[in-house]
Amino acid sequence: MKTNTILGGTVACFTFLCLKLPDANSQGNTTDKSKKEFIQGELTVEKRNKHLTYLLPAMVSPENWIWWHKIRPGSKKISASLSEDREHLVIHLNGESPNLVELEIQSQLMPKSDLMLKMNQVQLIGTHNSYHIAPEPGIMKIIKSVMPNEAANISYTHRPLPEQLDILGMRKLELDVFHDIKGGAFATPLGATMAGLKNWKSLHPEFDTESMMSPGMKIIHFPNFDFRSNTPTLKTALSELNIWSRNNNLHLPIMILIETKNTVAPRKENKSGIFEMDDFRQLEKEIIEVLKPEQIITPNMVQGGHKTLNQAIRKGAWPFLGECRGKFILALDNQGTERVNYLKLHPGLQGALLFVSSPPGQPESAFLKINDPKGNHAEIQKRIKEGYLIRTRADSDLREGRTNDYRQMNLAFSSGAQYISTDFPEKMEGYSDYNVQWPDGKVGRLNPLFEFEQHQATMEPEKLSSQIISRRFALKVPAAVLN
């Protein structure tokens, strides 16, 4: 029996595995899906390969669905995996001598096509400045008097984040983040005072004064004037996304692209206000306070046992869709000093939560931000074929919406970029009929740059949730192994 051994590690490094299933009409032990199970048994010695095995109880699946499993060993020192025939649990004791091996297997029904498709082989659409609400008319008048071009570019409002996911099928969101170190830096917008809005809070019902007074990461486009946000803090945004994700745990991987703006009340040694290592530590702290490690597709998860992340993606190491459903992939929008500072915190992105857009070929390079599919169409296609994950834009600065110009959108689609950004996830009433959606109205589609075997791929099923079944195993180690 050949085996693929995967070291048992932290919760963040859960390993998804697929179990070979019997036909739905076949006989065998089935799992009660409504309850957690506790299974006792005894391991068998596999003498040829010097490891222990256990025949797993079969689980029946509906047609075109499979069970995906993640194994959580009870001890970090013990390795657990599935055999090549995917019917046996394989245990390596790694020099340990326990009387009992304890572990947990969490199982979830997934579309069968998830065995064949990797996350870089599909295309998804998302919004640019996903939190944005257009300034109130009185404040917009001030902006127009000073920066007329900028005013024309910010006259759009997005739905709340959960509605973008649920109603519009967006699977990429972009958040601009300021680090308000002491709190209160954005609690009284200057533009509201200049516009003479005495009752400005009543005109801005989404404005959460209490949250804005607290220290932490704030989501704003430009302070004081273009300050309206449908989710004022990073924690609020992530909490909304977390709730939606847990209620719709079969969703395709959602990218959260984070642009770090400035630190406010900067430290004496940080006169520029640019995010430094301490700011990124706080950013990651806030992320992990809301999202669990197993909800995030991390650079370490993709790199696996490869020497570098770049080597991994060039060898096709992006995870299968079954490993990505119900998860988020986080990326840093900034490509300048902020990226350098983040890489100081996480050299090679080891232990990082965010991917970064580094030049192709760099050890940490896996994700690329290439905004213009018109001027870079061939470049995007080249990099996709090399294994990179790319975000591009279907439109920018509302230009395409003003003229109903779909040329850039079509080039973004045909470029093969996996995540495509737009300011028009739906028609903007009274402004434009332009909107960016797939022709069939679905959430995603197969990437046109890849060849696929003849099978029916399921992007997202109609029912977006699937119960997770947890089975705890207590398996006795044979006496012969202990002696």
Side-chain angles (χ1 to χ4, degrees):
M1 183 190 303
K2 296 180 180 179
T3 64
N4 294 318
T5 302
I6 302 173
L7 293 179
T10 63
V11 176
C13 296
F14 274 0
T15 303
F16 275 82
L17 301 157
C18 179
L19 184 64
K20 184 178 178 181
L21 298 165
D23 182 81
N25 296 319
S26 66
Q27 300 297 315
N29 297 326
T30 59
T31 302
D32 181 354
K33 298 179 183 179
S34 63
K35 299 178 181 178
K36 292 184 178 181
E37 280 201 352
F38 179 70
I39 299 172
Q40 293 179 302
E42 184 168 346
L43 291 162
T44 301
V45 179
E46 216 287 347
K47 295 182 179 179
R48 184 177 61 179
N49 292 312
K50 299 180 180 179
H51 57 248
L52 304 174
T53 67
Y54 180 76
L55 179 63
L56 290 167
M59 297 178 73
V60 177
S61 64
E63 187 178 3
N64 295 323
W65 287 74
I66 54 171
W67 286 100
W68 282 83
H69 306 272
K70 52 185 176 182
I71 299 177
R72 184 182 181 183
S75 169
K76 296 179 181 180
K77 297 180 180 180
I78 293 175
S79 305
S81 64
L82 290 184
S83 61
E84 195 171 82
D85 63 16
R86 303 189 183 279
E87 295 180 353
H88 293 77
L89 184 65
V90 178
I91 302 293
H92 288 267
L93 298 180
N94 299 329
E96 299 295 304
S97 301
N99 293 315
L100 199 68
V101 171
E102 295 181 294
L103 53 83
E104 179 183 0
I105 299 180
Q106 292 184 342
S107 307
Q108 184 177 12
L109 278 171
M110 300 278 188
K112 194 171 185 178
S113 56
D114 284 9
L115 267 177
M116 309 169 194
L117 296 173
K118 293 200 169 187
M119 69 171 289
N120 64 319
Q121 294 178 323
V122 299
Q123 287 185 296
L124 302 168
I125 298 170
T127 50
H128 167 250
N129 290 346
S130 308
Y131 57 88
H132 191 263
I133 299 175
E136 186 273 337
I139 297 175
M140 182 67 91
K141 185 177 180 180
I142 296 174
I143 298 172
K144 285 181 179 179
S145 68
V146 180
M147 298 182 292
N149 291 336
E150 181 62 26
N153 296 339
I154 60 175
S155 58
Y156 62 94
T157 295
H158 286 308
R159 292 173 181 260
L161 302 183
E163 289 187 18
Q164 292 184 43
L165 300 174
D166 207 42
I167 298 173
L168 303 179
M170 297 294 100
R171 294 295 179 264
K172 182 201 62 64
L173 302 167
E174 300 182 11
L175 306 175
D176 292 336
V177 174
F178 289 79
H179 188 189
D180 184 2
I181 296 174
K182 294 183 178 180
F186 310 109
T188 309
L190 177 62
T193 303
M194 291 178 64
L197 302 178
K198 295 181 180 180
N199 61 337
W200 71 271
K201 288 186 181 179
S202 66
L203 297 173
H204 299 79
E206 78 288 342
F207 196 87
D208 185 346
T209 303
E210 183 178 352
S211 294
M212 300 306 278
M213 288 300 297
S214 301
M217 301 292 163
K218 308 294 169 59
I219 297 178
I220 305 169
H221 194 216
F222 291 119
N224 291 317
F225 294 95
D226 191 13
F227 60 85
R228 298 190 71 183
S229 171
N230 57 37
T231 178
T233 70
L234 179 62
K235 282 188 177 181
T236 302
L238 294 177
S239 295
E240 292 175 359
L241 299 177
N242 183 38
I243 292 170
W244 187 89
S245 177
R246 290 186 176 279
N247 289 332
N248 300 274
N249 59 20
L250 289 179
H251 68 75
L252 291 165
I254 297 169
M255 173 174 280
I256 303 176
L257 186 62
I258 295 176
E259 180 177 356
T260 61
K261 293 286 192 171
N262 290 99
T263 61
V264 184
R267 305 166 189 87
K268 292 181 180 179
E269 65 274 15
N270 182 10
K271 296 180 180 180
S272 68
I274 290 175
F275 265 56
E276 295 190 337
M277 291 172 65
D278 283 344
D279 302 295
F280 281 115
R281 286 191 185 97
Q282 180 62 30
L283 176 70
E284 291 194 330
K285 180 175 181 289
E286 292 197 13
I287 291 171
I288 216 66
E289 283 176 356
V290 180
L291 300 178
K292 291 185 177 181
E294 61 264 29
Q295 290 178 271
I296 303 172
I297 300 165
T298 63
N300 280 3
M301 174 184 173
V302 176
Q303 181 174 335
H306 293 88
K307 185 176 180 180
T308 67
L309 179 60
N310 186 253
Q311 182 188 80
I313 61 102
R314 284 175 174 268
K315 292 186 177 181
W318 290 106
F320 285 100
L321 283 189
E323 301 172 75
C324 301
R325 288 192 185 271
K327 292 188 177 184
F328 300 91
I329 178 169
L330 309 175
L332 182 65
D333 181 271
N334 310 72
Q335 295 175 291
T337 304
E338 295 90 345
R339 181 185 67 198
V340 172
N341 290 340
Y342 189 65
L343 288 172
K344 287 179 182 177
L345 181 63
H346 295 293
L349 292 184
Q350 290 300 304
L353 295 183
L354 283 72
F355 289 79
V356 298
S357 183
S358 287
Q362 291 296 307
E364 72 279 358
S365 182
F367 160 72
L368 300 175
K369 187 186 76 168
I370 305 178
N371 285 336
D372 179 15
K374 287 183 179 179
N376 298 288
H377 192 265
E379 173 73 5
I380 293 173
Q381 290 192 327
K382 175 186 175 183
R383 299 306 179 187
I384 293 290
K385 292 175 182 178
E386 290 175 350
Y388 291 92
L389 196 74
I390 294 179
R391 174 268 196 187
T392 193
R393 297 185 69 169
D395 46 74
S396 57
D397 297 331
L398 307 188
R399 287 191 301 266
E400 287 71 21
R402 294 188 192 103
T403 57
N404 285 308
D405 184 353
Y406 285 90
R407 288 177 295 175
Q408 182 166 323
M409 183 199 80
N410 290 330
L411 286 168
F413 285 4
S414 63
S415 73
Q418 292 91 346
Y419 288 95
I420 298 167
S421 178
T422 181
D423 286 319
F424 296 87
E426 57 186 331
K427 296 178 182 179
M428 195 180 297
E429 189 174 349
Y431 185 89
S432 175
D433 287 337
Y434 172 87
N435 69 104
V436 178
Q437 295 283 345
W438 299 116
D440 58 8
K442 293 184 179 179
V443 169
R445 73 170 188 177
L446 296 178
N447 196 312
L449 299 193
F450 293 88
E451 294 183 2
F452 300 96
E453 296 179 9
Q454 293 298 317
H455 65 273
Q456 184 64 39
T458 301
M459 290 292 99
E460 284 189 355
E462 289 185 13
K463 185 180 179 183
L464 260 180
S465 62
S466 172
Q467 184 181 6
I468 297 174
I469 298 173
S470 178
R471 296 181 294 172
R472 297 191 67 85
F473 290 79
L475 305 175
K476 186 178 179 181
V477 177
V481 176
L482 300 175
N483 294 333

